[in-house]
Amino acid sequence: MAEIVEAGGWQDPPRQASLGAESRHRKYRQAVDRWHVGFTDLTGGQGLLGQVEGRVSTVVAAWLTAQPATWRGAITHVAIDMCAIFRSALRAALPHARIVVDHFHVVQPADAKLAELRRRLTWKMRGRRGRKGDPEYDHRRLLRSAAEELTDQQRTVLERDLTRIGTYRRHILAGWHAKEKLRDLLALARTHPARSQISHRLHAFYAWCADHAYLPEFVTLAATVEAWQSEIEAFLPAGITNAKSEGDQPSHQARSPLRVRLSQPRQPRRTSQ
């Protein structure tokens, strides 16, 4: 298996060449693409296999096809973020490999949509950003938490404060429940679920989002999940994850490049010149 990550842990800023250095306003042109794609092993030490410049499908496909045929043939799964660029490249270069989107990259956008919903409704309620003393702001960490991680008291406080006053707060709580229904689906990972179990939990998530269609953030999330449903379902029996490789890329080479991971495009960290 392998992982393909885009600019994970890449610290150097993009190189720049100076143009018109003697002029009052110095101009620069970018000498290299600020986006990089890294290929990371998901077995053994999860080492960095390679890194290329750019973020287009042809760059990813070119690196893969340049590798030995025996190496490519040994790859059974490729874990990626929900990035259509990577998916199209993989289908061309590794048509036999199973593409997987793991739970981290499904829950991450769900959390982001919930935070977006909370901020939007706070503006509608108060005409300003949230701040200390606002229940929806004070409980933002509980909203990010998984349901099973909350104590009975925390869950009671969360539901009480978000349902006691105001429709908008109830909408925020509905968004939290949508996120948890998606996590219910992902909880089936590595349990060898029956197809009926997967379908039931997918339907519960989609139905909740449809019943709360006045929450555009979660309508959008449902559409994203639907577009990547086959890759998410592929994760459930295999349980392949790239959690260890989400930080800075390790510098050593892995021994058994049988699984590959690609992750969402990231820009290198900018530093002062």
Side-chain angles (χ1 to χ4, degrees):
M1 288 180 229
E3 163 188 45
I4 304 179
V5 275
E6 199 152 352
W10 186 256
Q11 304 299 328
D12 295 336
R15 296 189 297 274
Q16 294 178 326
S18 174
L19 296 179
E22 300 302 323
S23 64
R24 180 176 180 182
H25 300 290
R26 300 182 66 182
K27 296 182 179 180
Y28 295 89
R29 63 178 176 84
Q30 191 168 297
V32 297
D33 197 304
R34 67 175 62 248
W35 300 90
H36 291 72
V37 178
F39 301 79
T40 307
D41 177 33
L42 280 183
T43 61
Q46 301 201 17
L48 180 66
L49 302 174
Q51 185 159 313
V52 294
E53 180 184 339
R55 56 170 175 170
V56 295
S57 60
T58 52
V59 169
V60 176
W63 187 90
L64 289 170
T65 54
Q67 307 312 307
T70 53
W71 184 85
R72 297 198 309 270
I75 294 177
T76 59
H77 293 76
V78 182
I80 67 173
D81 296 358
M82 290 186 279
C83 178
I85 292 173
F86 292 147
R87 182 165 59 181
S88 62
L90 289 169
R91 287 175 175 171
L94 299 173
H96 63 283
R98 193 75 184 269
I99 301 176
V100 174
V101 173
D102 70 6
H103 48 9
F104 175 82
H105 293 102
V106 179
V107 174
Q108 187 180 49
D111 280 335
K113 289 298 182 184
L114 181 56
E116 184 181 329
L117 171 67
R118 177 181 57 80
R119 288 191 292 266
R120 178 176 66 84
L121 295 182
T122 296
W123 271 105
K124 293 188 73 172
M125 282 188 288
R126 308 178 187 283
R128 57 168 173 77
R129 296 177 60 180
R131 61 192 184 200
K132 188 175 181 180
D134 301 337
E136 68 281 0
Y137 181 83
D138 291 342
H139 297 331
R140 64 194 185 282
R141 292 182 180 176
L142 296 182
L143 290 168
R144 287 197 300 267
S145 299
E148 66 273 13
E149 294 176 353
L150 299 179
T151 65
D152 291 341
Q153 181 180 3
Q154 286 175 323
R155 179 137 187 184
T156 298
V157 169
L158 179 65
E159 295 187 350
R160 180 197 67 202
D161 289 354
L162 293 183
T163 57
R164 176 181 292 174
I165 303 174
T167 300
Y168 289 149
R169 290 179 189 164
R170 290 195 291 273
H171 290 179
I172 294 171
L173 186 62
W176 181 77
H177 282 296
K179 179 199 71 168
E180 290 305 308
K181 288 186 181 298
L182 185 56
R183 291 188 64 258
D184 287 344
L185 168 68
L186 300 172
L188 295 174
R190 306 183 187 92
T191 65
H192 306 288
R195 177 63 204 173
S196 58
Q197 289 179 285
I198 296 174
S199 297
H200 175 75
R201 297 195 185 188
L202 267 172
H203 179 266
F205 168 71
Y206 288 142
W208 184 272
C209 292
D211 290 342
H212 297 80
Y214 48 82
L215 305 180
E217 294 82 0
F218 283 88
V219 173
T220 300
L221 179 64
T224 300
V225 170
E226 184 178 22
W228 289 87
Q229 183 173 314
S230 61
E231 290 80 10
I232 295 171
E233 290 182 4
F235 160 74
L236 298 178
I240 299 166
T241 180
N242 66 312
K244 291 183 180 179
S245 57
E246 275 301 307
D248 286 354
Q249 299 295 336
S251 59
H252 61 277
Q253 188 81 4
R255 293 188 297 273
S256 304
L258 298 180
R259 302 188 181 189
V260 180
R261 153 126 197 107
L262 292 75
S263 82
Q264 188 71 8
R266 299 178 188 170
Q267 293 188 28
R269 182 184 302 167
R270 301 189 65 179
T271 58
S272 58
Q273 300 298 314

